[in-house]
Amino acid sequence: MKILILGAGKMGSFFTDLLSFDHEVAVLEKDPKRLRFIYNALRFQSPEEIVEFAPELVINCVTLNHTIDAFQAVLPYLQPYCIISDIASVKTSLQEFYKTCGFPYVSTHPMFGPTFANLGNLEKENTIVISESDHLGKVFFKDLYAKLKLNIFEYTFEEHDKVMAYSLGIPFASTIVFASIMKHQDAPGTTFKRHMRIACGLLSEDDYLLTEILFNPRTPYQIERIQKELSTLQEIIQKKDTDAMKDYLKKIRKNIE
C-alpha cells in the first residue's frame, strides 16, 4: 500500500519506521531538518509533490492544533479513494471535519505518547479505534496494532471523548496542580522524584494538546470530583480523625485494586 505520513515528529517518525519495510511510504514535512533521519521513505516538502505518489492512505501525525490544516493542505492532491486518518488525542473538531471532507476516513488514538511509552515494547499499551470509521481503514489499523500486541478498543467519537476526560483529564489536572505549587528541594524523596519526572514529561508536551485535553467539555466534571475528594481529605487531616483516615485509605485502596 502507498502511505503518506504527515509530519516527521516523534509519532510521524514512529509510523514511518513501523510501516516503511512493508509498504511504500512517503513523509510530508515542511521542516527539512526533521527529514534528516527519515529512512527508507520518500521525502516531500510541499503538497504538490504527492500527486505522482498517489497515496492510498494518509496518516496525519502533525501536532493537534495543525491537524485539520494539514488535511486541508493535501486533500486537493489526493485521489477520491484515498483513506485519510488521524491519531489525535482530541476528536472534538475532527468528527465534524470528517462529515464534510468527502473522503473515507479512519480515526484512531494510540494511548502511548512518545513522552512516557517505550516505543520499542508496547505490549501493555492500549489503543482506540473510532467505530464510525471506514471499514477498510479500521481493518488496516486493527491489524497494525495487533502486530504490536496492543490492547485494541473500539469506541464512538462520543465515547472516546468521555474516556479522555477521565483517563487524561484527571492525571493532567492533578499533575499541573502538583507542578503549580512546586519549589526546589535539596533532598527530594523517591515519591517526590517520581512525581517530578511525570510533571516534567507532561509539561514537555505541546501547550495546545494540554489545553484541548483540559478544555474537553467533560473535563470540568472530573476536576470537580478531584476538588470534592481534596475537601474530604483536608477535613480529615484538620480534625486528625484517625478512624476516618483509615476508612478513607481503605476506600481508595479498593479503587485501585
Side-chain angles (χ1 to χ4, degrees):
M1 179 183 285
K2 288 188 174 183
I3 301 174
L4 174 68
I5 294 175
L6 306 182
K10 291 179 180 178
M11 291 304 288
S13 298
F14 168 75
F15 275 98
T16 301
D17 292 342
L18 183 64
L19 296 167
S20 62
F21 287 94
D22 295 317
H23 302 275
E24 191 174 346
V25 174
V27 181
L28 177 61
E29 169 61 62
K30 292 181 180 179
D31 184 354
K33 292 181 180 179
R34 285 191 163 191
L35 291 170
R36 287 179 300 175
F37 303 109
I38 294 297
Y39 177 74
N40 201 38
L42 298 173
R43 307 175 190 184
F44 298 148
Q45 286 187 258
S46 66
E48 293 83 359
E49 295 179 82
I50 70 176
V51 174
E52 187 176 348
F53 182 64
E56 300 161 87
L57 172 67
V58 173
I59 304 177
N60 193 334
C61 297
V62 305
T63 54
L64 185 61
N65 54 322
H66 295 300
T67 299
I68 291 179
D69 290 339
F71 273 140
Q72 291 174 332
V74 301
L75 291 188
Y77 306 98
L78 300 178
Q79 297 295 323
Y81 56 77
C82 182
I83 300 172
I84 62 175
S85 70
D86 75 272
I87 57 168
S89 54
V90 178
K91 308 292 188 184
T92 308
S93 56
L94 282 165
Q95 182 178 11
E96 293 304 314
F97 169 77
Y98 284 135
K99 286 180 181 178
T100 59
C101 72
F103 284 83
Y105 70 88
V106 55
S107 186
T108 76
H109 182 186
M111 300 289 287
F112 50 88
T115 301
F116 296 115
N118 175 6
L119 296 181
N121 183 12
L122 299 170
E123 287 190 25
K124 295 182 180 180
E125 303 295 344
N126 303 314
T127 189
I128 293 171
V129 176
I130 300 300
S131 60
E132 292 98 325
S133 301
D134 175 80
H135 174 71
L136 291 178
K138 285 196 292 186
V139 169
F140 175 85
F141 276 97
K142 284 184 176 181
D143 180 63
L144 177 65
Y145 292 146
K147 289 178 180 177
L148 294 173
K149 298 183 180 179
L150 293 168
N151 299 307
I152 303 170
F153 300 89
E154 189 167 330
Y155 294 153
T156 65
F157 279 113
E158 179 74 13
E159 289 168 338
H160 173 271
D161 286 350
K162 286 182 180 179
V163 170
M164 290 310 103
Y166 180 82
S167 64
L168 294 182
I170 288 177
F172 278 28
S174 301
T175 301
I176 288 171
V177 169
F178 169 80
S180 71
I181 59 171
M182 194 49 49
K183 63 180 182 179
H184 176 71
Q185 297 291 310
D186 290 324
T190 302
T191 302
F192 182 94
K193 288 190 288 185
R194 287 181 178 177
H195 279 284
M196 180 61 83
R197 282 197 295 271
I198 292 173
C200 290
L202 180 69
L203 293 171
S204 71
E205 296 283 4
D206 178 69
D207 286 355
Y208 189 86
L209 170 64
L210 298 177
T211 301
E212 285 300 298
I213 292 295
L214 295 172
F215 283 6
N216 182 332
R218 298 162 186 82
T219 299
Y221 168 70
Q222 302 299 342
I223 293 178
E224 287 172 9
R225 294 178 62 211
I226 294 173
Q227 291 172 322
K228 181 181 178 181
E229 292 300 323
L230 281 172
S231 296
T232 299
L233 181 60
Q234 185 178 35
E235 184 178 351
I236 293 171
I237 292 170
Q238 287 174 336
K239 291 181 178 179
K240 293 184 171 60
D241 190 334
T242 302
D243 291 335
M245 179 60 78
K246 286 182 178 179
D247 288 341
Y248 191 74
L249 293 173
K250 183 179 179 180
K251 182 190 79 170
I252 62 175
R253 285 192 178 107
K254 202 168 186 179
N255 286 348
I256 63 174
E257 285 178 356

